C-alpha cells in the first residue's frame, strides 16, 4: 500500500496543503504545535477510522470553517483509488464524516474501511499495557475494521444494542414488561456479541506469534511475551446464558455488565501480568511488538504492507528500540513526525517541514 498524494482543506490548523510522501521514509519535522500530527492524522482518516487522538469529528474542522476535507490517492491491490473524506454538516447540526471512493458515495466514512490500510503508532499507544481494557479492545477493533469491512457493521450493531439496552436498564423499574424487552435485546446481543468475541480471538491468534517473536528479538532473547484474549463467552449460546445470569446485576447497576464490551487482552511478560509488573522498558517493547505484529498481520491478510504512521514515537524509545523500529520500517512506506529530523541519521528519505499549519519541502 502506497499513499501517492494527500490534499487537505480546512483540517484543524491546516487551511490547505498538498502532501506527496516518498515511497519509503518521509519525515515531517517542525516544532511542537505546528500541525505535524494534524497532517499525520489526516492521512489516517483515509482508512475510515476515527481520529487516533480520540477527537470528535467537529474538532477536525478548522476554526471558522464549516467543513474539512482530506482527499488521497492510494496505490494498492494493483490499482489506484481516490478516497475523499468529508467532515461537516448543516450549521448547528452534529458534524459527521462521510466518504467517497473513486467518485462513489459510501455514506459514513467507516464504510470505506479496507480501501486504504495503515498502522498508526503514537505516544498514547504506550498506555496500551498499563491503561484500561478499553484501549486494548480498541486496538483489536481498529485493526479488524480495516482488514474486514464487514466487521465495521458487526461492531456498530453490537455497540448500538448495548447502548439501547443500557437506556432500558436505566429506566427498568419505570418500564412495563422491561424483562420481556431485555429478553429481546439479550437474544440479539448474544448473536452479534459472540461473533465480535470470536473475530477478536481469531485475530489475536494470527498476530500473537509475530508479537511474541518480535518481543524476543527486541529483548535479545532474555524475556518472553505472552498474549491471551480474555473472552466472555465461547459462542452465542454461552453468551445468552451469561446475559441471563447477569440480569439481576444489570438492573441493580443500571447498565450491561457482561459481554464483549467488557472483555480484555491479557499481556504477560516473563510470566507476570504486564500492567502490574512490567517496567517502562518492557511496556515500550510490548507495545512496539504489538504494533509491528499488527502491520505484519495486515500484510499477511491483504498481501501488502500497510502504510506506517509514526507520531513522535522515536523520542519515547531508547536507541536500541529506535534502531530496531527503523530497521523494520525499511522497504515500506513510513511517514514519521519529529521535532528533529537528525534522529533518523543516515536513513535518508524525504524531509518535509510544518510551520504554523503550512507544509513545505525541506
Amino acid at each position: 500500500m502506497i499513499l501517492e498524494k494527500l490534499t487537505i482543506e480546512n483540517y484543524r490548523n491546516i487551511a490547505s496543503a498538498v502532501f506527496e510522501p516518498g515511497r519509503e521514509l518521509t519525515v515531517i519535522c517542525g516544532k511542537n504545535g505546528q500541525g505535524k500530527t494534524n497532517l499525520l492524522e489526516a492521512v489516517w482518516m483515509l482508512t475510515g477510522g476515527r481520529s487516533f487522538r480520540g477527537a470528535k469529528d467537529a474538532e477536525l474542522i478548522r476554526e471558522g470553517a464549516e467543513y474539512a476535507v482530506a482527499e488521497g490517492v492510494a496505490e494498492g491491490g494493483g490499482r489506484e483509488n481516490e478516497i475523499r473524506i468529508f467532515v461537516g454538516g448543516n450549521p448547528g447540526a452534529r458534524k459527521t464524516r462521510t466518504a467517497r471512493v473513486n467518485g462513489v458515495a459510501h455514506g459514513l466514512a467507516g464504510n470505506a474501511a479496507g480501501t486504504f490500510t495503515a498502522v498508526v503508532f503514537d505516544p498514547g499507544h504506550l498506555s496500551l499495557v498499563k491503561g484500561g481494557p478499553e484501549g486494548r479492545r480498541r486496538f483489536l477493533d481498529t485493526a479488524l475494521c480495516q482488514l474486514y469491512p464487514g466487521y465495521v457493521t458487526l461492531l456498530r450493531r453490537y455497540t448500538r444494542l448495548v447502548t439501547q439496552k443500557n437506556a432500558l436498564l436505566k429506566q427498568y423499574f419505570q418500564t412495563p414488561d422491561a424483562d420481556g424487552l431485555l429478553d429481546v435485546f439479550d437474544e440479539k446481543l448474544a448473536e452479534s456479541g459472540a461473533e465480535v468475541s470470536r473475530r477478536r480471538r481469531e485475530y489475536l491468534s494470527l498476530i500473537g506469534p509475530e508479537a511474541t517473536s518480535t518481543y524476543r528479538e527486541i529483548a535479545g532473547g532474555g524475556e518472553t511475551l505472552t498474549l491471551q484474549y480474555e473472552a466472555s463467552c465461547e459462542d452465542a449460546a454461552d453468551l445468552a446464558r451469561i446475559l441471563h445470569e447477569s440480569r439481576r446485576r444489570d438492573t441493580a447497576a443500571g447498565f450491561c455488565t457482561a459481554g464483549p464490551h467488557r472483555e480484555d487482552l491479557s499481556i504477560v511478560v516473563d510470566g507476570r501480568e504486564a500492567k502490574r509488573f512490567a517496567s517502562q522498558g518492557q511496556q515500550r517493547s510490548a507495545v512496539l511488538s504489538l504494533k509491528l505484529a499488527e502491520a505484519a498481520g495486515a500484510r499477511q491478510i491483504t498481501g501488502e504492507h500497510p502504510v506506517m504512521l509514526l507520531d513522535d514515537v522515536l523520542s519515547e524509545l531508547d536507541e536500541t528500540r529506535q534502531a530496531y523500529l527503523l530497521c523494520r520500517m525499511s522497504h515500506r512506506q513510513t511517514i514519521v513526525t519529529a521535532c528533529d529530523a537528525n534522529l533518523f541519521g543516515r536513513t535518508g528519505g524525504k524531509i518535509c517541514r510544518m510551520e504554523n499549519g503550512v507544509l513545505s519541502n525541506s
Side-chain angles (χ1 to χ4, degrees), residues 14-232:
I14 304 173
S16 65
V18 176
F19 178 47
E20 296 179 294
R23 296 185 71 85
E24 292 195 19
L25 178 66
T26 300
V27 182
I28 308 164
C29 60
K31 297 179 181 179
N32 290 329
Q34 302 304 302
K36 304 187 303 296
T37 300
N38 295 342
L39 179 61
L40 203 71
E41 182 184 47
V43 176
W44 171 256
M45 284 296 161
L46 299 179
T47 67
R50 295 180 178 179
S51 163
F52 60 77
R53 293 187 281 181
K56 296 178 180 178
D57 290 341
E59 296 170 353
L60 306 179
I61 301 174
R62 186 168 180 257
E63 186 176 356
E66 296 182 357
Y67 65 90
V69 175
E71 189 166 5
V73 179
E75 174 191 322
R79 60 172 295 179
E80 281 188 348
N81 288 303
E82 295 183 1
I83 308 159
R84 186 177 191 269
I85 304 297
F86 178 88
V87 188
N90 294 327
R94 180 173 177 268
K95 306 305 181 186
T96 58
R97 285 176 300 117
T98 57
R100 298 182 72 89
V101 178
N102 299 324
V104 178
H106 277 52
L108 293 176
N111 296 331
T115 307
F116 174 74
T117 56
V119 171
V120 63
F121 187 11
D122 83 311
H125 287 131
L126 293 171
S127 69
L128 265 175
V129 175
K130 291 225 168 184
E134 181 182 358
R136 290 183 286 276
R137 290 193 299 268
R138 189 184 305 116
F139 164 73
L140 298 172
D141 288 338
T142 298
L144 284 164
C145 284
Q146 284 197 70
L147 300 174
Y148 304 102
Y151 187 77
V152 176
T153 303
L154 173 66
L155 188 61
R156 281 177 183 164
R157 183 188 308 127
Y158 178 75
T159 303
R160 183 169 58 250
L161 285 167
V162 171
T163 300
Q164 292 170 340
K165 181 179 177 180
N166 284 344
L168 174 58
L169 286 167
K170 289 177 182 178
Q171 298 296 321
Y172 176 79
F173 295 104
Q174 292 79 39
T175 304
D177 192 27
D179 282 319
L181 293 171
L182 287 173
D183 287 340
V184 175
F185 276 123
D186 285 351
E187 180 181 355
K188 295 179 179 179
L189 279 168
E191 180 181 348
S192 58
E195 184 65 9
V196 167
S197 187
R198 183 186 70 81
R199 294 283 194 93
R200 289 172 178 171
R201 292 196 306 270
E202 286 186 352
Y203 177 69
L204 189 62
S205 69
L206 172 72
I207 69 167
E210 177 70 21
T212 298
S213 174
T214 298
Y215 188 92
R216 188 183 302 116
E217 290 179 7
I218 297 172
E223 298 174 353
T224 59
L225 173 73
T226 305
L227 304 175
Q228 179 66 47
Y229 190 68
E230 298 176 354
S232 61

Side-chain angles (χ1 to χ4, degrees), residues 330-347:
S330 62
H331 308 300
R332 67 189 71 182
Q333 190 177 46
T334 303
I335 304 172
V336 183
T337 67
C339 292
D340 183 7
N342 293 326
L343 280 172
F344 299 88
R346 297 185 297 275
T347 54

Side-chain angles (χ1 to χ4, degrees), residues 296-307:
R299 183 177 185 274
Q300 185 173 340
I301 292 169
T302 67
E304 297 181 321
H305 286 295
V307 176

